[in-house]
Amino acid sequence: MTVSQFMSRARTARRSGRLRPTDAAHVYVERLPDFPNVVDVWVFDTSDDSARPIDAAAASEWLRARVAGDPTFRRCLVRVPLDLDYPLWVDDPDFSIENHVSSAVATEAGWAPVEQAIAATLETPVDLSRPPWRLHLLTDVNGVAEFPASATVAVLTFHHCAGDGVRTVELAEKLFAGTATAPTPTDAASSDRSFEGLSPSRASLAATAMWRLPVSLGILMRGLGKGVLASRSVALAGRRGELPAPVGPWPVTMFNTTYSGQAGVRTVSFDLGEVRRVKAVVAGATINDVAMTVTSLAMSSYLDGRAQRPDGSLGAVVPMSWRKSDRDLATANQFCLMSVDLHTEAVCPLERLRSISATAKQEKQRQRHRAMIRLGDVADSVPAVLLRVLARRRRPASGDTLPLGNVMISNVPRSNSDLQLLDAPVAAGFGVLAIGTGEVLSHFVSSLGERLTVAVVADRRVVPDIDRYAELLEKSFAELCGALA
């Protein structure tokens, strides 16, 4: 391939195969022990003795046709030297599903081996020299409440650059579909967003990046100008009362410190019908509002028990998806981060639910305002080198307050319960939210069928009694249900 041919392909990549800043930020932020892994856990019922046994070899063969249904499973990243430009997606010429699937047998009954498998994937970086995903199967799982008597637990991990929680659930549903499907028009289009059969050399990548540097600087200057105008629009909308005022800042807690790299994992499940009954008491409340209230009550009780509760209310960092909006985003990650007041000063559980629901509604309105959207779009103007510097500046709280929140709470429903692995039907599923420096406690809210599951991840050094915290979540939900009387 000549230089001119490669340059032509590189210009096409700017529109297609090159990562957008929103996705590339997850590549640049990665450093020990903070790994931007998105984890989905699926539980398959293997109680039927006549079903085919599950191991890595059998699963790989069964999944082979399914990974053909989406290019995400078969393409990897190529970094530009010195990160002079954003990474590129390229088709992996050596792709083998066997490199992505592993299995092990649970050596004891109960939750411990499941927790170990999940914690291991949270604490291990995804290999970006290959397509950014892996699947670990833990077989012969038994003695876990809410699981079948005999189960296989599938721990599916993606690097965050490949997608957010909503996107990775979509990929999981393709992977565990009963029948392998051909790529959809959307998938076929996304296949064009990579260099097919092209493995550019480091010299070529560097040369292309230098050629694009004046363009990148021009985009940055235009972006800065748009940022100034967007900031003025936000201020003007606030003065006119069109834009709700931001909440926060929040007092620093024991959960806002350096991550030790050792994660504890627990899950708590609730009857979805009971959750809906609680939600119905407050007009306009959502399932996630109930989950945030339960978390708020549990956090308050836990901090009180440790004599660590600060003065003032605490806040939560809550992702809000853009996927059901009219925004045309050509990114794998399509969300913004909301700051939601958890109203931990409210004593009455129902009053806390009402306040959280009202605050969350206001924050959604704020993030959807056109001025806020324009301000957020400025990030697309940041050159790769500068974004890398900014992304790696993540530090534990150094002052007395935090701008966004004390803990992470995410919510991704699972609409498809008709999934399987070989002959084993799905019995449960939940997401797991990685923690990191600054936020060492996370909650991932998932629903499948008539069960709502909250998966908690905490730094073992900070929360050594994670079972106690899980019990407080259960107690808090019972307290909220009891308040209905």
Side-chain angles (χ1 to χ4, degrees):
M1 175 177 292
T2 66
V3 173
S4 61
Q5 288 173 326
F6 180 77
M7 289 293 190
S8 176
R9 297 291 291 275
R11 286 191 288 270
T12 301
R14 180 176 179 267
R15 301 186 301 271
S16 53
R18 197 177 305 280
L19 260 68
R20 297 293 293 271
T22 304
D23 301 327
H26 296 289
V27 177
Y28 301 143
V29 77
E30 181 173 284
R31 61 179 177 179
L32 186 74
D34 300 339
F35 301 124
N37 296 348
V38 183
V39 180
D40 277 311
V41 180
W42 299 86
V43 181
F44 296 94
D45 188 350
T46 55
S47 301
D48 187 351
D49 294 334
S50 64
R52 287 172 288 177
I54 297 176
D55 58 21
S60 295
E61 188 59 35
W62 189 80
L63 295 169
R64 196 178 307 279
R66 288 158 179 79
V67 299
D70 195 293
T72 305
F73 292 113
R74 309 183 311 278
R75 61 186 186 183
C76 57
L77 284 178
V78 174
R79 296 280 289 269
V80 176
L82 302 178
D83 289 318
L84 293 173
D85 208 339
Y86 294 112
L88 307 174
W89 286 118
V90 299
D91 289 343
D92 183 1
D94 301 317
F95 174 74
S96 172
I97 192 171
E98 285 78 9
N99 292 330
H100 297 265
V101 181
S102 62
S103 64
V105 178
T107 56
E108 59 179 301
W111 176 255
V114 180
E115 179 185 29
Q116 291 167 8
I118 297 173
T121 199
L122 288 171
E123 297 163 6
T124 305
V126 174
D127 184 358
L128 290 181
S129 68
R130 292 172 173 167
W133 68 280
R134 59 175 177 251
L135 174 65
H136 181 69
L137 305 172
L138 184 66
T139 64
D140 294 353
V141 175
N142 61 88
V144 179
E146 304 289 340
F147 286 10
S150 177
T152 289
V153 176
V155 183
L156 180 60
T157 307
F158 291 89
H159 193 283
H160 219 317
C161 71
D164 52 25
V166 176
R167 173 60 177 156
T168 53
V169 168
E170 293 174 352
L171 292 169
E173 291 178 347
K174 293 180 180 182
L175 200 62
F176 299 125
T179 303
T181 57
T184 64
T186 300
D187 296 330
S190 65
S191 181
D192 294 336
R193 295 198 294 269
S194 63
F195 283 106
E196 280 191 54
L198 176 65
S199 296
S201 67
R202 290 177 59 84
S204 298
L205 289 171
T208 306
M210 294 301 293
W211 172 79
R212 274 176 37 85
L213 189 57
V215 177
S216 299
L217 291 176
I219 293 174
L220 174 62
M221 296 307 296
R222 288 197 301 272
L224 291 175
K226 291 179 179 179
V228 171
L229 294 176
S231 297
R232 292 175 179 171
S233 297
V234 168
L236 179 60
R239 289 195 297 270
R240 289 176 173 175
E242 301 171 358
L243 187 65
V247 293
W250 315 105
V252 172
T253 69
M254 59 187 293
F255 304 129
N256 309 117
T257 185
T258 303
Y259 176 38
S260 71
Q262 297 181 342
V265 185
R266 291 293 185 275
T267 61
V268 179
S269 293
F270 307 110
D271 180 82
L272 195 53
E274 284 294 295
V275 176
R276 294 191 187 102
R277 189 170 71 91
V278 173
K279 176 179 77 74
V281 174
V282 176
T286 66
I287 295 293
N288 205 42
D289 293 340
V290 177
M292 285 191 289
T293 304
V294 171
T295 301
S296 172
L297 292 166
M299 281 178 56
S300 299
S301 298
Y302 186 83
L303 291 171
D304 284 341
R306 296 281 296 269
Q308 293 280 344
R309 185 172 174 180
D311 295 331
S313 185
L314 303 181
V317 184
V318 183
M320 185 185 83
S321 178
W322 291 114
R323 292 184 182 276
K324 292 184 179 180
S325 71
D326 57 0
R327 299 190 66 190
D328 184 18
L329 299 176
T331 59
N333 290 273
Q334 298 185 17
F335 67 92
C336 65
L337 293 177
M338 301 190 299
S339 179
V340 178
D341 191 340
L342 292 178
H343 293 279
T344 49
E345 78 289 349
V347 177
C348 173
L350 283 181
E351 182 59 34
R352 197 176 292 202
L353 173 59
R354 290 189 185 95
S355 299
I356 289 174
S357 178
T359 300
K361 190 179 301 181
Q362 285 186 346
E363 181 64 4
K364 290 174 185 175
Q365 179 186 348
R366 174 179 172 79
Q367 294 296 334
R368 290 169 179 158
H369 194 278
R370 59 186 181 278
M372 289 293 294
I373 291 175
R374 286 198 295 267
L375 185 61
D377 287 344
V378 173
D380 283 338
S381 306
V382 181
V385 173
L386 179 57
L387 181 62
R388 181 177 182 271
V389 173
L390 296 174
R392 294 179 68 87
R393 289 176 61 85
R394 187 178 188 182
R395 296 286 189 276
S398 56
D400 297 326
T401 60
L402 301 164
L404 281 179
N406 302 97
V407 297
M408 287 281 291
I409 305 176
S410 186
N411 178 18
V412 178
R414 283 152 170 70
S415 58
N416 188 355
S417 59
D418 187 23
L419 303 175
Q420 67 186 73
L421 177 60
L422 278 78
D423 302 321
V426 70
F430 54 89
V432 178
L433 191 61
I435 55 178
T437 293
E439 293 159 358
V440 297
L441 177 66
S442 73
H443 310 74
F444 201 118
V445 183
S446 312
S447 57
L448 183 69
E450 287 302 308
R451 300 300 296 175
L452 184 78
T453 301
V454 179
V456 179
V457 181
D459 188 329
R460 285 189 171 277
R461 178 178 58 84
V462 179
V463 187
D465 51 348
I466 190 172
D467 284 321
R468 169 62 178 159
Y469 188 78
E471 291 170 0
L472 289 173
L473 286 170
E474 294 176 328
K475 181 180 178 181
S476 297
F477 183 65
E479 183 182 353
L480 189 56
C481 291
L484 300 184

